Amino acid sequence: MHALPEQTPALIRLSDYRAPAWRVETVELDFDLGIDASELSARLLLRRDPAQNAPLRLDGENLQLLSITLDGQQLPATAYRYLGNVLEVDGAHDGSVLETRVRLRPAANTALEGLYLSGSREAGFLLTQCEAEGFRHITFFTDRPDVQSRYTVTLRADRTRFPVLLAGGNPDGAGELEGGRHWARFVDPHPKPSYLFALVAGRLEKIERDYVTADGRAVQLKIWAEADAIDRCDYAMDALERSMRWDEQAYGRNYDLDVFHVVATHDFNMGAMENKGLNIFNAKCLLADPDSTTDDEYRHVEAVVAHEYFHNWSGNRVTCRDWFQLSLKEGLTVFREQSFSADMNSAPLKRIEDVALLRRAQFPEDAGPLAHPVRPAQYSEINNFYTATVYEKGSELVRMLAGALGQDGFRRGMDRYFERNDGRAATLEDFLAALGDANDTDLMPYLAWYGQAGTPRLSARGHYDAARHEYTLTLTQHMTGMAGTESRPPLPIPVKLALFTRHGDMLPLHLDGQMSKNVNELVVVLAGAEQHFVFTNVVTAPVPSLLRGFSAPVILECDYTPDELALLLAHDVDGFNRWEAGQQLATRAYENLRDGSSTEALHAWREALALLFNNSAIDDALLADLLTPPGEIELAERETAIDPQRIHDLRQRLQQRLAERLGAAALRQRYQALAAYTSIALDAPSQARRRLKRRVLELLNLLDSQGACELATAQYRNAPGMTDRLAALTVLVRSGASQAAAALHEYRERYADNALALDKWFAVQAQLPGEPALERVLLLGRDAAFTLKNPNRVQALLGAFVRGNPSGFHRIDGAGYRLLAERLVTLDTLNPQVAARLATAFNGWQRLEPLRREAARAAIVELARHDGLSRNLTEILGSVLNH
């Protein structure tokens, strides 16, 4: 136990939830906007809960109160108190009208929460970010998601400086004012929580499109960006239209306002925000063009556009009762977004991508001191809970429910959920009840998944009785590594499975005790600690394919032989499980090299992939993924004393052994065949070829670095788009090629005025493997284009270094840890949210080997001793140190 100074913030507990004593029926906001100072008059119609005898208390932070009236009467100073970020007002009653006027300082707001300036004073624009608790930085309010109000917003500003005025809701008038000023009014007919409020004001250009919903509503779609970026918004507009049509068809959900605005900004703490009728996007999640956007980024733009639009129902029309229910909107919407992306692209590849992210980001989170349930029982700072657990694991729990109910059953359940809760602030219990009631089943046992941290382990053992032609599959669940897990009740774990012959053919499944349905794939649910499933009429000893499609977020432990994994890798028709067999086999091969033990798994892995490499029928993108072993972060999860440099070196050896088996000549021949295609099209075959070309070049570089770097130099020079250009640059930089400096210089000159492309320039260098990375990061930190005030630039350099470069960050001398700690002190004064997220890189330091562990501990302790750290950073450091 490593105690922190006495500054740990107070805890907010789920068990303490009480309905609000005061609600706000209507909100009228009147802004006079300016860069240095903006003033806001707010008029709140108050409603009091007659069952509660509590004074009127409103949240408000960093507000300069100019005036306050209650029911038309100016209040004396003795009638209200503004202390500790709470305004308490005497004399209010049900139906009272409270009016306040406050002054805000947008240009001085570097935390990017509330009302702030994006860009320069001369050319930037004003915007807001209110989730989770940013509205209290704008005006006094009961700033909690279960207070839903109807908003009328009037904006006034200088027309030359702020020609575009936007707020959520439908437009309700605009006009001119004296002195070159103008105004615009917006009315949102739908009650919404304060975290969904938004405004934008400044010099922006737009593209627009007319859209008619399935229920006949005419909607204007408008995407806004600064003049130098508006020509990169067309792909996002197409993605928005696809998202709207898909939601109508898949969920029966139609848009419900007359206009839908989307705005791009380079200064944003998150990816995007689903404000009702006025989505605000981090530019990296909206802007796209072939010259500066990779294939992966195109798909990401499409996914984020869909995610924010889908929130219109799963988050806005039905919101969460309190922030403990955050996954009710985020986990559900991630699942909807993933389903959309699977339909728009390749379902198997999308599933591989999602599970790889889960294992890379969420599994380590669940295994370290920052582990928390999908629905936490308590928190100090809610912004610290926008995590992979809430989002990605939350999505996996929804996927489990959808799998258990089937496609039609899940749709019925979602219809019931939206019907029951439209306009309400709901809970996870409401969600499970609606899905269960619509299908006459009890889903409440799944609630246990939401209440416990950690990743369950699923053990599988098979026994074949040749005489009886029976195969018995025994499934056992347990939790390890978490205190108190021994007493937890078992979870319902749905396991989708199939059985294969030793020749790779699927067997028909006859589960004892169930009617034969002539199927070769089914789902069984492990409801207890251990269960036996007996399959009859099994004509030969089978090889089980388990957790098909990753049917539950667990760690599977099964005593497959290398040959059985190789069989599944070669023959499984489930694209995800084919990849999963390859990942398991590659992990075994890695362990062969690490332990100096038998090379059986290494041999099986190399031979299986050699056959697939020469199989022209396999999809190029899937082959690229199959040729890629688990990453260094995933491999580290299997170690007890983590040495990131050793893991990096062993993984490089593993890939080199694969490259040797494939052969330099075969790799070069495949590369040249793929390089013959120069299209920048975004169709699936074109993207797949570029994906495989990058992987082949990486493998070739392990055998013939000089030859591969010559190919990479030519590829960089002739690249028709960013995907090929960045792939080539990455190979040159990470291999330390002599051509890297010239390519980096050319890239910097080419994209000097393109912030998103320049972020990639920082990131590719920050991920230079091993000890040289630190010196490069220090050098880049002094670059004129680097600033701690921009979250994207911080993540591109420091984030890529501490989260995407284990061998570089985890130097044995601790210099990487000290660098992060030093930067966090400064960053925390500017933007506590970004600082806290970056500090999560310290998660899991206890599992490092002793020298690194002590160096990390010393850096964290020294950081924690600093006075004046934010609540955000203090909570992260407290969790990291004291668990």
Side-chain angles (χ1 to χ4, degrees), residues 81-215:
R81 291 151 299 282
Y82 180 27
L83 296 170
N85 299 327
V86 173
L87 175 67
E88 185 172 308
V89 181
D90 299 333
H93 57 80
D94 183 57
S96 280
V97 174
L98 180 73
E99 297 177 81
T100 60
R101 187 168 182 84
V102 299
R103 182 174 291 128
L104 312 171
R105 304 287 183 183
N109 181 0
T110 61
L112 312 187
E113 184 178 29
L115 177 67
Y116 65 93
L117 172 67
S118 173
S120 69
R121 297 173 58 84
E122 296 75 20
F125 61 96
L126 297 178
L127 72 159
T128 57
Q129 169 56 25
C130 292
E131 189 176 352
E133 296 176 338
F135 195 64
R136 65 189 63 189
H137 295 267
I138 294 175
T139 191
F140 295 103
F141 202 77
T142 46
D143 190 16
R144 46 190 287 176
D146 56 353
V147 174
Q148 296 171 279
S149 314
R150 288 186 169 85
Y151 283 71
T152 299
V153 180
T154 303
L155 308 178
R156 294 182 177 85
D158 180 84
R159 174 176 280 283
T160 301
R161 183 62 185 84
F162 302 104
V164 175
L165 300 175
L166 302 173
N170 290 322
D172 189 51
E176 301 301 318
L177 298 169
E178 294 181 356
R181 292 165 62 79
H182 68 137
W183 66 275
R185 180 177 297 116
F186 300 84
V187 176
D188 193 338
H190 303 283
K192 66 186 177 188
S194 56
Y195 78 85
L196 291 174
F197 168 79
L199 73 80
V200 171
R203 299 187 187 104
L204 298 167
E205 303 294 330
K206 72 176 185 296
I207 61 172
E208 54 189 325
R209 186 175 298 176
D210 292 330
Y211 181 87
V212 179
T213 64
D215 61 358

Side-chain angles (χ1 to χ4, degrees), residues 404 507-523 536-537:
L507 289 163
L509 299 181
H510 306 279
L511 186 60
D512 191 31
Q514 292 188 8
M515 294 181 60
S516 176
K517 298 180 181 178
N518 194 30
V519 297
N520 53 23
E521 181 183 75
L522 56 77
V523 176
T536 60
N537 300 321

Side-chain angles (χ1 to χ4, degrees), residues 631-750:
E632 293 170 28
I633 294 173
E634 295 96 312
L635 292 171
E637 288 303 297
R638 303 179 68 88
E639 304 284 345
T640 55
I642 299 172
D643 180 342
Q645 184 63 56
R646 183 168 184 258
I647 292 172
H648 171 79
D649 293 342
L650 284 168
R651 186 174 184 270
Q652 287 295 96
R653 280 181 55 199
L654 178 68
Q655 295 181 92
Q656 185 170 5
R657 295 294 299 275
L658 173 61
E660 289 168 352
R661 176 61 183 86
L662 299 178
L667 288 167
R668 192 174 293 107
Q669 182 180 8
R670 176 63 68 90
Y671 175 85
Q672 291 168 345
L674 293 165
Y677 295 92
T678 59
S679 169
I680 59 171
L682 290 173
D683 59 277
S686 296
Q687 289 194 47
R689 282 191 288 267
R690 289 190 288 268
R691 191 166 179 163
L692 181 58
K693 179 168 62 175
R694 171 175 181 157
R695 186 59 188 141
V696 169
L697 183 61
E698 291 169 342
L699 290 171
L700 182 60
N701 187 48
L702 295 169
L703 295 181
D704 177 12
S705 182
Q706 181 177 349
C709 287
E710 289 174 358
L711 292 174
T713 301
Q715 177 175 310
Y716 178 87
R717 185 173 56 247
N718 302 319
M722 180 56 82
T723 302
D724 281 347
R725 184 173 297 113
L726 187 63
L729 183 64
T730 301
V731 167
L732 293 173
V733 170
R734 294 189 183 179
S735 62
S738 59
Q739 303 97 320
L744 285 168
H745 178 75
E746 193 280 336
Y747 187 105
R748 175 61 186 269
E749 293 294 312
R750 179 188 186 107

